[in-house]
């Protein structure tokens, strides 16, 4: 199963051993250093950014009580519904040299070009900011779930041993939550590595844009997939990092006693500070860009809203739900299979399968097409031989391909979440279940699934929102007469009709919001003793 | 659950109604909003149903190639001649005999072997900020590489196919060396690292960030008719200059959107009918009005606005050259350090 998912990745890598010395020399002499440095800075910058934005709010919302907390608790997940390329469009529209902010500034002061400093949105720094603003919820989500699932007893023990609130955070809660935090971080960074829309729009050359340019512009598949292999190097480091953080110690809760977390009530300036810390990422990552989208949508509302549009919404929602359910089932099979027999082969296979998250959707789409188109050709040969008729593209011409591609791309999300969930359940519980006569499947159904309800919902939801936002694979693989909101938004924006792209973009965000709210509620309730 | 999934997959894959007049399957790199209205009219008039997938040109080519002889696609549409040539080079197309197409489309805008046909055209001239530049100061593309323009030129990134094609045409007309020298020179004159799209270049010139912008005509046209006051105001601050018009010079760089019938088309006749429909007077007029592009058909006048921009001599290099030179063009851009 894992091998099947890894197939597209392997198919692209089939080209790796084809030598392409000329193109490589050209790349080395001209753009390779740029690709390397920009990618490195991007990953470091976004990594720092998502921790900076995600961790404090996770802690504040799990352990403290302050005005507006109930709102922030779920609202801080909202930026997740905002695709990175769309937030990039909105900020560029606002802050560009010819945008309203700088124009107003010039009108007020009489300055001209070059008379003043204004940070350029379309830059590496801009890309880091945009990606951090929409990816920090991954860290927030997983860290908060981890904080909430920690038995309060360990914190209380640390307090009785003389630690103050801060010390018990840094010495106990943070290390305990580390696997979850790093999972969140690595998801955010993988998404960063795979990002195409934002960096391309900002003109920052990274591996992703480099692969695309080499594959299509230079027409060299070998060099392109060798670049992709280098990109894999980055991913591999990320995965090792995540493994390493988990393997150093196994964290299982020693106590299953949960009591209500006594929330630390903030007052006065600490409360104001907490509200500010929570409000800032929410404002920048959601409220302001949505405001801009609304502004654009209202301008063109009469043009964009028709029955076609409802079709788009329906297609997008259906596709995202189907893909999310598939991804969860696959993740359960893989994750549970690994728990049952710790075969290194199974482990490696699921690692490779999970790498898809960091591979640009374009590469995956081509990787999916290679084996599927081949299989279709074989099928047609067979049917021609036996029935003297062509069956057409049974695999590569239908939604099946697209769903498969989503799974290759997003399996890491569901797998990591499911594994993190399973990791928190003590193996002794399995043994107890088995000794009481449950089959392995029974253990899964009767014990694990109820215990992991929060993690499972998280997995479904993350994939749902991701698929809703996904662009390159959808663009390449969808069947005839089948469009999604993301495709529509992209087509309008790439035709430089930003205002017209506002409405479909807004719908993507809106469709992503409802599950985000559901998710937050279920996490709050997932903690035993918390209702 | 599996039953439901299987069911919806089935419905999605067979939901396309089959009309009496048959059907034609189109892979298009042209955005849906630019072709769907015409397709609908075509279906209305002929009863032939048009099935459409849109996408990035290169990705569609890759899909076509991988699907091989089983591809359902009959017609490939792109917004760039270079890509059509690439489709021919990849042996994904077939020649088409059609008196209408051959008669209506000028020879430079279609493949010499009738493998592809241009359906609309646009120019990539020089735009200048009216406040800062007099048209007398401008002459040719080559002149933009002169140090006097240092820090005054805006253009989009070299990832963009329009820039690649422009260099591609220069490789044919002036040779690789001169094209390289030109790219090296113009990069030194950039007002800022390349960023944004064609409209952004025009806006940058309008707001004083640079004096000169390179962009396609239809973006300018769309800005002039935009509902957004700021876009319109920005476009009104810049004007078009047609470069390289002197006697014997090559003229303004142009490109087309066009179509080709796939090698294994199962609905070849319908595909040809659709192409012929797209060059009939009414469709050509609609294109010109809706997207501010130039009709390929000589007897159709462009929109009033396009007429107002004046007549110009267009580069007559056969557009398949753009495709032949694409990889070379990308290398030139990389070497010049054109981001």
């Amino acid at each position: 199963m894992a091998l099947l998912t890894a197939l597209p990745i392997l198919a692209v890598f089939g080209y790796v051993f084809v030598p392409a010395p000329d193109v490589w020399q050209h790349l080395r002499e001209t753009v390779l250093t740029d690709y390397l440095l920009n990618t490195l800075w991007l990953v470091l910058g976004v990594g720092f950014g998502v921790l900076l934005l995600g961790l404090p709010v996770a802690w504040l919302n799990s352990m403290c009580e302050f005005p507006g907390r109930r709102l922030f608790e779920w609202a801080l997940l909202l930026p997740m519904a905002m695709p990175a390329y769309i937030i990039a469009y909105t900020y560029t529209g606002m802050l560009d040299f010819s945008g309203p902010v700088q124009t107003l500034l010039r009108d007020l002061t009489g300055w001209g070009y070059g008379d003043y400093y204004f940070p350029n949105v379309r830059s590496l720094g801009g890309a880091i900011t945009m990606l951090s603003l929409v990816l920090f919820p991954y860290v927030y989500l997983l860290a908060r779930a981890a904080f909430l699932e920690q038995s309060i007893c360990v914190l209380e023990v640390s307090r009785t041993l003389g630690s103050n609130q801060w010390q018990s955070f840094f010495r106990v809660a943070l290390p305990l939550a580390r696997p979850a935090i790093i999972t969140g971080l690595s998801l955010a960074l993988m998404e960063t590595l795979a990002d195409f829309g934002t960096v391309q729009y900002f003109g920052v050359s990274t591996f992703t844009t480099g692969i695309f340019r080499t594959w299509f512009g230079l027409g060299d598949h070998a060099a392109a997939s060798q670049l992709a292999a280098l990109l894999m190097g980055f991913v591999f480091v990320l995965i090792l990092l995540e493994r390493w953080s988990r393997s150093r110690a196994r964290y299982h809760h020693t106590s299953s006693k949960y009591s209500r977390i006594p929330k630390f009530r903030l007052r006065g300036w600490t409360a104001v500070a907490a509200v500010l810390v929570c409000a800032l990422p929410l404002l920048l990552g959601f409220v302001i860009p949505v405001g801009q989208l609304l502004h654009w949508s209202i301008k063109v509302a009469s043009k964009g809203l028709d029955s076609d549009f409802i079709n788009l919404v329906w297609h997008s929602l259906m596709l995202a739900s189907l893909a999310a359910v598939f991804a969860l089932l696959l993740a359960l099979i893989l994750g549970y299979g690994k728990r049952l027999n710790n075969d290194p082969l199974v482990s490696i296979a699921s690692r490779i399968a999970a790498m898809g998250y960091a591979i640009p959707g374009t590469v995956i789409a081509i990787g999916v097409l290679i084996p599927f188109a081949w299989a279709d050709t074989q099928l047609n040969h067979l049917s021609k031989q036996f029935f003297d008729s062509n069956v057409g593209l049974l695999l590569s011409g239908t939604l099946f391909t697209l769903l498969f591609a989503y799974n290759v791309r997003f399996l890491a999300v569901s797998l990591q979440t499911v594994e993190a969930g399973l990791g928190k359940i003590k193996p002794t519980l399995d043994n107890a279940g088995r000794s009481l006569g449950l089959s392995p499947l029974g253990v899964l159904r009767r014990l694990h699934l109820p215990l992991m309800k929060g993690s499972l919902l998280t997995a479904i939801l993350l994939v749902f929102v991701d698929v809703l936002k996904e662009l390159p694979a959808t663009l390449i693989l969808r069947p005839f007469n089948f469009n999604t909101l993301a495709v529509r938004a992209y087509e309008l924006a790439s035709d430089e009709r930003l205002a017209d792209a506002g409405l479909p973009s807004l719908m993507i965000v809106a469709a992503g919001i409802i599950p985000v709210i559901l998710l937050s509620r279920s996490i709050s309730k997932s903690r035993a003793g918390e209702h | 659950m599996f039953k439901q999934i299987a069911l919806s997959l089935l419905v999605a894959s067979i939901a396309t109604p089959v009309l009496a007049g048959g059907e034609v399957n189109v892979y298009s790199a042209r955005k849906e909003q630019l072709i769907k209205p015409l397709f609908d009219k075509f279906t209305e008039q002929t009863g032939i149903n048009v099935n459409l997938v849109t996408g990035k040109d290169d990705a569609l080519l890759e899909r076509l190639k991988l699907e091989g002889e089983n591809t359902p696609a009959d017609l490939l549409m792109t917004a760039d001649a270079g890509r059509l040539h690439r489709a021919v080079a990849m042996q994904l197309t077939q020649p088409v005999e059609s008196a209408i197409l051959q008669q209506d489309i000028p020879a430079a805008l279609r493949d010499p072997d009738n493998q592809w046909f241009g359906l609309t055209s646009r120019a990539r001239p020089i735009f200048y900020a009216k406040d800062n530049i007099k048209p007398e100061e401008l002459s040719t593309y080559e002149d933009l590489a002169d140090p006097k323009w240092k820090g005054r030129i805006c253009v989009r990134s070299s990832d963009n196919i329009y820039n690649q094609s422009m260099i591609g045409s220069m490789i044919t007309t002036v040779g690789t060396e001169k094209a390289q020298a030109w790219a090296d020179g113009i990069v030194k004159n950039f007002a800022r690292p390349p960023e944004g799209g064609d409209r952004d270049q025009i806006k940058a010139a309008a707001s004083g960030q640079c004096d000169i912008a390179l962009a396609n005509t239809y973006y300018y046209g769309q800005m002039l008719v935009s509902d957004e006051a700021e876009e319109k105001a920005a476009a009104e601050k810049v004007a078009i200059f047609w470069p390289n018009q002197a006697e014997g010079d090559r003229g303004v760089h142009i490109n087309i959107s066009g179509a080709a019938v796939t090698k294994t088309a199962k609905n070849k006749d319908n595909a040809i009918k659709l192409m012929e429909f797209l060059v009939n007077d009414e469709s050509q007029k609609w294109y010109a009005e809706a997207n501010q592009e130039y009709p390929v058909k000589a007897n159709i006048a462009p929109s009033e606005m396009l007429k107002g921009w004046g007549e110009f001599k267009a580069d007559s290099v056969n557009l398949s050259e753009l495709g032949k030179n694409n990889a070379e063009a990308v290398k030139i851009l990389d070497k010049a350090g054109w981001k």
Side-chain angles (χ1 to χ4, degrees):
Chain A
M1 181 79 81
L3 208 66
L4 193 67
T5 322
L7 201 60
I9 300 171
L10 297 176
V12 170
F13 282 96
Y15 287 108
V16 163
F17 301 105
V18 181
D22 294 350
V23 171
W24 265 103
Q25 195 188 349
H26 170 74
L27 291 176
R28 253 204 319 275
E29 280 168 6
T30 53
V31 286
L32 192 63
T33 326
D34 262 11
Y35 293 167
L36 265 172
L37 286 180
N38 283 339
T39 305
L40 198 65
W41 281 120
L42 195 68
V43 165
L44 287 176
V46 174
F48 180 73
V50 292
L51 289 180
L52 188 75
L53 292 173
L55 273 186
V57 293
W59 179 252
L60 282 171
N61 278 289
S62 338
M63 297 297 164
C64 302
E65 188 61 61
F66 52 93
R69 191 195 60 81
R70 284 193 171 278
L71 175 76
F72 285 127
E73 190 178 286
W74 59 267
L76 277 165
L77 289 173
L78 292 177
M80 236 168 75
M82 177 79 62
Y85 53 89
I86 286 176
I87 198 176
Y89 298 153
T90 61
Y91 274 106
T92 310
M94 282 182 271
L95 300 178
D96 217 13
F97 183 79
S98 50
V101 174
Q102 288 201 56
T103 305
L104 185 71
L105 189 71
R106 284 195 299 275
D107 287 351
L108 288 178
T109 57
W111 288 331
Y113 176 57
D115 293 346
Y116 60 98
Y117 171 77
F118 197 90
N120 184 2
V121 196
R122 294 188 208 186
S123 59
L124 183 60
I128 290 174
T129 314
M130 297 300 123
L131 287 166
S132 299
L133 281 175
V134 293
L135 295 178
F136 84 86
Y138 285 104
V139 171
Y140 166 68
L141 183 68
L142 287 153
R144 180 162 165 268
F147 288 145
L148 286 178
E149 282 171 16
Q150 282 168 9
S151 165
I152 194 68
C153 302
V154 287
L155 287 180
E156 281 172 350
V157 167
S158 85
R159 294 299 295 278
T160 61
L161 290 174
S163 300
N164 65 22
Q165 185 83 16
W166 287 109
Q167 283 167 330
S168 58
F169 171 65
F170 281 109
R171 288 190 186 161
V172 180
L174 203 57
L176 272 178
R178 196 175 57 191
I181 293 169
I182 295 203
T183 301
L185 180 67
S186 67
L187 284 178
L189 292 186
M190 284 192 185
E191 193 141 325
T192 304
L193 284 175
D195 171 79
F196 181 75
T198 318
V199 286
Q200 198 219 17
Y201 191 62
F202 283 178
V204 178
S205 14
T206 62
F207 269 104
T208 324
T209 55
I211 292 168
F212 195 79
R213 195 181 154 113
T214 312
W215 186 293
F216 295 122
L218 290 172
D220 194 318
H221 299 187
S225 57
Q226 283 150 18
L227 274 180
L230 260 176
L231 177 68
M232 290 296 97
F234 277 92
V235 184
F236 211 68
V237 171
L238 278 183
I239 289 174
L240 282 183
L241 191 79
E242 199 246 356
R243 292 287 105 181
W244 173 77
S245 87
R246 256 192 234 177
S247 65
R248 283 256 310 247
R250 291 195 167 275
Y251 303 108
H252 299 295
H253 298 304
T254 48
S255 161
S256 52
K257 262 183 143 176
Y258 289 89
S259 63
R260 198 183 169 78
I261 297 177
K263 291 245 162 69
F264 191 70
R265 191 165 286 280
L266 301 176
R267 288 178 204 289
W269 70 268
T270 50
V272 174
V275 171
L276 282 180
V277 166
C278 292
L280 197 71
L282 181 62
L283 272 177
L284 293 178
F286 190 77
V287 178
I288 294 176
V290 164
Q292 174 75 67
L293 289 179
L294 262 175
H295 174 71
W296 279 336
S297 306
I298 291 168
K299 264 196 200 166
V300 296
S302 54
K303 274 194 285 177
L305 257 179
D306 46 25
S307 64
D308 240 27
F309 189 74
I310 297 176
N311 230 338
L312 286 182
V313 176
W314 161 237
H315 281 166
S316 303
L317 293 180
M318 179 189 78
L319 210 54
S321 322
L322 281 176
V325 172
F326 269 144
L328 181 71
L329 290 178
L330 202 58
L332 269 178
I333 295 170
L334 285 176
Y336 202 57
K338 227 178 87 191
R339 189 181 174 96
L340 286 186
N341 52 353
N342 218 340
D343 187 343
L345 213 66
V346 175
S347 173
I348 290 171
S350 66
R351 272 319 102 202
I352 294 180
M355 283 174 114
Y357 198 53
I359 302 179
T362 316
V363 177
I364 290 197
I366 302 290
V368 168
L369 270 182
I370 292 172
F372 275 34
W374 180 84
D376 271 332
T377 309
Q378 302 310 312
L379 273 176
N380 276 299
H381 277 320
L382 281 180
S383 76
K384 190 107 190 157
Q385 230 164 7
F386 289 108
F387 309 108
D388 197 32
S389 74
N390 279 329
V391 289
L393 298 177
L394 279 185
L395 298 171
S396 55
T398 56
L399 276 183
F400 178 75
T401 329
L402 195 51
L403 286 173
F404 186 79
Y406 288 146
N407 257 297
V408 178
R409 175 100 169 75
F410 297 123
L411 181 64
V413 182
S414 51
L415 189 62
Q416 292 203 18
T417 322
V418 165
E419 279 187 352
L422 276 174
K424 275 178 298 204
I425 299 171
K426 278 179 291 183
T428 48
L429 195 65
D430 300 26
N431 300 341
R434 294 298 298 279
S435 70
L436 289 174
L438 283 175
S439 67
L441 261 180
V443 173
L444 181 67
R445 202 166 53 87
R446 304 273 296 271
L447 294 176
H448 291 165
L449 290 185
L451 280 172
M452 304 198 296
K453 217 173 71 188
S455 302
L456 297 185
L457 254 165
T458 311
I460 280 208
L461 226 93
L462 285 175
V463 177
F464 179 86
V465 176
D466 264 334
V467 169
L468 215 52
K469 298 186 290 186
E470 207 284 335
L471 187 60
T474 318
L475 209 50
I476 297 177
L477 295 176
R478 75 205 138 90
F480 281 112
N481 309 324
F482 190 95
N483 269 359
T484 66
L485 289 166
V487 169
R488 176 60 55 86
Y490 161 80
E491 291 205 328
L492 289 163
S494 70
D495 212 24
E496 299 178 43
R497 290 163 60 180
L498 284 186
D500 293 328
L503 193 60
S505 305
L506 198 63
M507 266 321 288
I508 297 177
V509 178
I513 286 177
I514 299 157
V516 164
I517 294 173
L518 285 178
L519 174 70
S520 173
R521 285 171 58 115
S522 86
I523 291 179
S524 300
K525 284 184 185 159
S526 72
R527 196 192 137 75
E530 188 96 357
H531 286 289
Chain B
M1 165 129 37
F2 276 116
K3 224 169 159 183
Q4 278 170 345
I5 292 167
L7 201 67
S8 41
L9 279 177
L10 197 68
V11 170
S13 56
I14 59 170
T16 324
V18 179
L19 293 190
E23 57 178 7
V24 53
N25 298 321
V26 181
Y27 281 6
S28 168
R30 279 238 110 165
K31 313 292 179 330
E32 184 181 344
Q33 65 268 16
L34 285 181
I35 44 178
K36 192 79 191 326
L38 283 177
F39 287 177
D40 289 345
K41 206 175 281 170
F42 175 71
T43 305
E44 211 174 278
Q45 287 180 11
T46 60
I48 299 170
N49 202 33
V50 184
N51 298 315
L52 173 68
V53 181
T54 58
K56 285 203 184 102
D57 34 24
D58 287 310
L60 287 175
L61 285 183
E62 200 68 31
R63 181 166 169 178
L64 261 180
K65 189 180 97 186
L66 289 169
E67 287 171 349
E69 61 185 35
N70 295 312
T71 186
D74 303 307
L75 196 67
L76 172 74
M77 295 181 78
T78 77
D80 169 83
R83 292 299 181 260
L84 285 169
H85 171 79
R86 183 170 287 178
V88 177
M90 289 162 82
Q91 304 187 338
L92 298 173
T93 60
Q94 60 173 307
V96 160
E97 288 305 321
S98 156
I100 297 180
L101 293 175
Q102 267 137 328
Q103 197 181 330
D104 285 352
I105 305 170
L109 305 184
R110 54 183 158 85
D111 181 66
D113 303 324
N114 296 317
Q115 297 269 5
W116 56 261
F117 298 88
L119 301 172
T120 61
S121 92
R122 78 293 296 264
R124 198 166 178 78
I126 296 171
F127 291 87
Y128 63 94
K130 286 193 248 180
D131 291 348
N132 304 331
I133 301 259
K134 290 189 188 62
E136 299 88 78
E137 297 173 59
L138 295 161
S139 56
T140 59
Y141 291 115
E142 282 78 357
D143 179 59
L144 297 180
D146 190 283
K148 73 179 175 208
W149 297 109
K150 196 168 175 52
R152 299 170 72 184
I153 297 174
C154 280
V155 67
R156 68 195 283 180
S157 126
S158 63
D159 283 334
N160 182 253
I161 186 68
Y162 303 139
N163 287 333
Q164 295 174 7
S165 284
M166 189 166 170
I167 300 275
S169 84
M170 285 180 110
I171 291 175
T172 300
T173 47
V174 301
T176 307
E177 248 166 68
K178 280 192 182 158
Q180 181 74 59
W182 181 77
D184 293 345
I186 197 171
V187 165
K188 291 200 185 85
N189 292 341
F190 284 173
R192 54 161 194 202
E195 59 176 36
D198 277 17
R199 285 177 203 240
D200 294 307
Q201 313 311 322
I202 294 172
K203 282 185 203 163
S207 61
Q209 202 170 5
C210 45
D211 295 331
I212 301 274
L214 286 177
N216 281 353
T217 42
Y218 60 86
Y219 288 112
Y220 178 61
Q222 283 174 19
M223 286 173 79
L224 284 173
V225 299
S226 171
D227 304 330
E228 282 185 80
E230 311 97 63
E231 283 230 329
K232 208 170 164 195
E236 280 163 358
K237 283 192 181 163
V238 304
I240 291 185
F241 179 83
W242 304 111
N244 299 67
Q245 296 294 299
E247 190 73 39
D249 208 342
R250 66 180 189 275
V252 179
H253 170 61
I254 58 159
N255 205 334
I256 49 128
S257 75
V261 174
T262 64
K263 195 177 187 178
T264 55
K266 280 139 201 123
N267 306 295
K268 186 177 171 184
D269 292 345
N270 289 346
I272 296 172
K273 265 188 210 153
L274 180 57
M275 278 200 288
E276 289 171 348
F277 175 84
L278 291 174
V279 292
N280 77 22
D281 292 6
E282 210 182 325
S283 303
Q284 288 281 302
K285 260 185 216 149
W286 183 87
Y287 253 127
E289 298 288 336
N291 201 36
Q292 311 300 334
E293 282 184 285
Y294 290 97
V296 289
K297 207 169 173 179
N299 68 333
I300 302 294
S303 65
E304 282 307 309
M305 183 168 63
L306 266 65
K307 267 195 250 167
W309 300 343
E311 304 225 337
F312 61 91
K313 177 164 74 180
D315 193 344
S316 59
V317 58
N318 189 286
L319 295 180
S320 35
E321 296 290 324
L322 311 188
K324 285 184 200 149
N325 295 334
N326 192 259
E328 192 66 38
V330 172
K331 284 188 184 172
I332 287 178
L333 289 158
D334 281 348
K335 279 188 202 150
W338 188 320
K339 296 263 180 234

